[in-house]
Amino acid sequence: SSPYLATVRTRPHTLLLTESGRQKKAVVQWFVRVSEVPVSKLKLLGREPHPQEIFYYQGRSCDDEVDAESILRPVQVTFSDIRIGLHDRRKTCDSIVEYCDINFLLRYRFLSGLPFRHRLTVKRLEFLILPFVSFNRFLFGQVTPGTPRTPHGATPSIPSRTLPARQPANVLEEARTRLHVSSVPESLPCREQEFQDIYSFVESKIVDGTGGCMYISGVPGTGKTATVHEVMRCLQHAADVDEIPPFHFIEINGMKMTDPHQAYVQILQKLTGQKATADHAAALLEKRFSNAAPRKETTVLLVDELDLLWTRKQNVMYNLFDWPTRRHARLVVLTIANTMDLPERIMINRVASRLGLTRMSFQPYSFKQLQQIIMSRLNKVKAFEQDALQLVSRKVAALSGDARRCLDICRRATEICEHSAADPSASGLVGMSHVMEALDEMFSSAYITAIKCASVQEQLFLRAVIAEFRRLGLEEATFQQVFVQHQALCRVEGLQPVSVSEGLAVCQRLGACRLLLLEPSRLGVLQRVRLNVSQDDVLFALKAD
């Protein structure tokens, strides 16, 4: 009632004969039913199989050579709506043999009880399907493993929208979209002077065909990276209209690298498209920037998060700053970091000397500048009361001057205002109460509450962590380094300095509260310490006291 199923893999004239020459054998490919497939294998389909579907069997438990006499008879089937590649029309059995390609998955529908138009025999087709119970579907797979064929002339594309992008339903939703940090503003207000200085520096190097370095510093959220990107966009436009010579622009970010030496790999790949190991890439870049070449274009390299490229020998920083000094390099390096005196803090003398004295500091935004930034992003969209904007600007300017934090607070205030309104389509303006609630949410998290409720020694330890981070210019320090700052703060506050064991206990309690991230080791005073909250939140919580 359930005979086995196989396909003949040889033509009739190639059927094997035994030594006696009497009995013929056929080389076959076996198939299995759904009931014979393990459940773990069926899960790999990603769909629910049909109860009468069959699949390829490539195991070794079945012999590939069988007696030809074991073939019962040809199967009588009717083919219906067979899809082969891009063809979608009825095929006869003769044309099926011509179009049947082992790299396509073909679905055959067995219709029992209907008039049979074709009889599949071993003399006509390359495959023979042995009879068993009536099938609704038959999946014919690839006979031999091979490389999938890539369609010629295929072009990848993104499907078009079925519906147009949803427009803002009200003024508050439009304001929330404009205030998002990923929204591209029409201009960069309050950074005109910095923009002009960077533009003049890079333009002069490109026109003269020389190299140089510029160190750009400033606290987070003061527009450093955005200003440099706008400078490069304007310079690229000037090069397109032949106002200045053409140049290459490359950007790397220390935050996106697992190892500082990966900077060599990324620079080489973006310059030449060539992939190499870190050591080989460094050698190729050394050769490129040391030797002269005809019609060599200037390369402008932007290095963001420079402090994360620090190594013990500082060879990565040294090479990045030394290459522009080569005669034939034509390399301009723009570096960005959050610490103004980073070269004096972490760089050895030979590295700091290569960096040079061309530096620029982005000062934190004042409340008037923050207010101007918000107004320029809103672009005449009346969604805030004037007092509410001034409150947000003053609060953020007094703490850090971070424009991104200011934008986040304003967006949250629009959400609170929209949810508090009875009719969302008729939402009013964002007022003082909405801004105060957003400020409370932003600066009154569970971490801030934990800091406010911490003991005096724990609060002093957090202050010592921030002081040490600012001294090093890094976001990580050892307990021993922080403990020295903690003892100094105790003397300043008129408190008795704690012992090392007591300091370790304070550090462990802060780590248990997840205010600090501690290295999971038994190094004791040498274990590394990181903040699990932003420095702004810590300063806000301690300033409130």
Side-chain angles (χ1 to χ4, degrees):
S1 60
S2 299
Y4 296 106
L5 184 71
T7 62
V8 178
R9 299 179 60 179
T10 55
R11 293 182 179 272
H13 64 273
T14 58
L15 292 177
L16 302 179
L17 298 176
T18 59
E19 295 179 358
S20 61
R22 297 178 181 178
Q23 190 175 18
K24 290 185 177 182
K25 289 186 175 292
V27 180
V28 298
Q29 169 66 56
W30 295 97
F31 297 87
V32 294
R33 301 177 180 85
V34 174
S35 58
E36 299 170 329
V37 180
V39 179
S40 59
K41 299 292 184 181
L42 288 177
K43 293 181 179 179
L44 299 177
L45 283 177
R47 58 176 176 81
E48 188 68 24
H50 193 276
Q52 294 180 328
E53 198 168 357
I54 61 175
F55 303 93
Y56 241 82
Y57 180 73
Q58 294 182 344
R60 298 182 179 179
S61 59
C62 295
D63 194 357
D64 293 339
E65 297 182 4
V66 299
D67 294 337
E69 297 178 354
S70 63
I71 301 176
L72 301 182
R73 63 179 182 274
V75 177
Q76 295 175 335
V77 299
T78 297
F79 293 91
S80 175
D81 295 336
I82 300 179
R83 291 179 180 268
I84 302 182
L86 300 177
H87 303 279
D88 187 10
R89 60 179 183 267
R90 294 179 181 273
K91 306 287 185 182
T92 63
C93 286
D94 295 344
S95 62
I96 289 172
V97 178
E98 298 173 3
Y99 285 93
C100 181
D101 190 285
I102 62 175
N103 288 316
F104 290 124
L105 291 179
L106 311 182
R107 289 189 177 276
Y108 296 82
R109 185 180 298 275
F110 285 67
L111 304 175
S112 59
L114 297 179
F116 301 121
R117 296 185 295 171
H118 306 285
R119 179 179 296 274
L120 307 184
T121 63
V122 72
K123 294 181 179 180
R124 186 67 192 87
L125 297 181
E126 291 187 50
F127 58 93
L128 173 67
I129 305 175
L130 298 184
F132 57 105
V133 294
S134 175
F135 278 82
N136 286 332
R137 292 185 181 179
F138 167 61
L139 179 64
F140 181 77
Q142 185 172 319
V143 176
T144 56
T147 304
R149 296 182 181 178
T150 303
H152 295 289
T155 303
S157 62
I158 299 176
S160 59
R161 289 179 179 268
T162 57
L163 296 175
R166 188 172 65 90
Q167 298 296 324
N170 50 52
V171 176
L172 292 177
E173 189 171 343
E174 184 178 357
R176 190 159 54 249
T177 303
R178 290 173 175 269
L179 292 173
H180 199 280
V181 291
S182 63
S183 177
V184 180
E186 297 179 359
S187 62
L188 287 174
C190 310
R191 290 300 181 214
E192 292 81 5
Q193 185 60 46
E194 290 83 354
F195 173 88
Q196 189 61 44
D197 293 343
I198 300 175
Y199 187 95
S200 302
F201 174 80
V202 180
E203 183 188 32
S204 63
K205 300 299 181 183
I206 295 175
V207 173
D208 298 340
T210 58
C213 296
M214 173 181 279
Y215 178 70
I216 304 171
S217 62
V219 296
T222 52
K224 302 183 297 297
T225 305
T227 303
V228 174
H229 282 166
E230 183 63 18
V231 168
M232 300 314 302
R233 189 188 67 81
C234 294
L235 287 172
Q236 192 67 56
H237 176 72
D240 293 339
V241 297
D242 295 331
E243 292 182 359
I244 61 174
F247 65 93
H248 292 292
F249 174 61
I250 301 173
E251 179 182 3
I252 61 173
N253 193 315
M255 190 69 72
K256 299 179 182 179
M257 301 178 195
T258 57
D259 182 77
H261 295 87
Q262 289 296 317
Y264 300 134
V265 179
Q266 292 192 15
I267 295 173
L268 180 67
Q269 185 174 0
K270 292 180 180 180
L271 265 180
T272 63
Q274 181 180 355
K275 294 183 179 180
T277 61
D279 294 337
H280 188 204
L284 293 177
L285 290 174
E286 177 74 22
K287 181 179 179 181
R288 178 186 179 91
F289 295 129
S290 299
N291 300 332
R295 303 180 63 181
K296 190 174 186 179
E297 294 182 355
T298 301
T299 301
V300 180
L301 173 62
L302 172 61
V303 183
D304 207 348
E305 305 292 346
L306 174 68
D307 51 332
L308 297 180
L309 298 182
W310 183 89
T311 57
R312 186 173 62 86
K313 294 183 178 180
Q314 301 187 17
N315 53 347
V316 177
M317 287 185 177
Y318 179 81
N319 288 331
L320 291 179
F321 300 150
D322 183 57
W323 286 335
T325 63
R326 308 289 175 85
R327 179 181 178 183
H328 304 291
R330 304 193 70 170
L331 175 65
V332 182
V333 178
L334 304 176
T335 59
I336 299 177
N338 296 333
T339 308
M340 184 174 64
D341 55 346
L342 181 72
E344 287 75 23
R345 288 187 176 185
I346 68 172
M347 294 182 186
I348 56 180
N349 292 334
R350 72 186 187 104
V351 178
S353 63
R354 292 298 189 278
L355 178 59
L357 300 176
T358 306
R359 303 185 186 184
M360 176 172 294
S361 177
F362 280 63
Q363 298 299 322
Y365 288 113
S366 64
F367 84 92
K368 289 184 178 180
Q369 290 176 330
L370 290 174
Q371 195 170 352
Q372 183 179 350
I373 291 172
I374 299 174
M375 293 300 296
S376 65
R377 282 194 172 241
L378 291 176
N379 194 14
K380 299 181 181 180
V381 175
K382 185 64 175 177
F384 286 79
E385 295 179 359
Q386 193 65 28
D387 294 340
L389 282 181
Q390 189 172 354
L391 175 62
V392 176
S393 303
R394 288 184 178 274
K395 282 283 188 180
V396 176
L399 184 63
S400 61
D402 190 341
R404 289 174 294 194
R405 177 64 66 92
C406 189
L407 294 175
D408 291 338
I409 295 173
C410 290
R411 293 186 71 250
R412 179 56 185 154
T414 59
E415 294 176 353
I416 295 172
C417 179
E418 190 172 7
H419 294 161
S420 62
D423 185 7
S425 61
S427 299
L429 300 180
V430 178
M432 298 281 287
S433 58
H434 307 122
V435 171
M436 287 301 300
E437 186 174 350
L439 287 169
D440 292 339
E441 289 183 6
M442 193 70 67
F443 295 110
S444 298
S445 63
Y447 287 118
I448 293 180
T449 304
I451 295 173
K452 290 181 178 180
C453 297
S455 65
V456 175
Q457 291 295 339
E458 290 170 350
Q459 291 181 354
L460 282 178
F461 195 87
L462 290 174
R463 289 172 55 186
V465 170
I466 295 178
E468 185 62 22
F469 285 177
R470 291 182 173 180
R471 186 186 73 85
L472 295 175
L474 303 174
E475 297 294 328
E476 184 179 276
T478 63
F479 170 81
Q480 187 176 18
Q481 294 171 323
V482 176
F483 184 69
V484 174
Q485 293 283 351
H486 183 256
Q487 286 186 318
L489 287 175
C490 287
R491 297 188 184 96
V492 171
E493 296 293 336
L495 300 175
Q496 180 67 28
V498 297
S499 62
V500 176
S501 59
E502 291 174 337
L504 282 172
V506 170
C507 184
Q508 293 295 334
R509 287 198 298 270
L510 292 173
C513 297
R514 304 301 294 173
L515 294 174
L516 294 179
L517 295 177
L518 307 179
E519 186 179 11
S521 64
R522 298 182 180 180
L523 298 177
V525 296
L526 297 180
Q527 66 177 340
R528 288 175 289 186
V529 178
R530 294 179 67 106
L531 276 175
N532 196 30
V533 294
S534 66
Q535 296 186 19
D536 292 343
D537 291 342
V538 176
L539 295 176
F540 177 82
L542 297 178
K543 185 181 294 186
D545 294 338

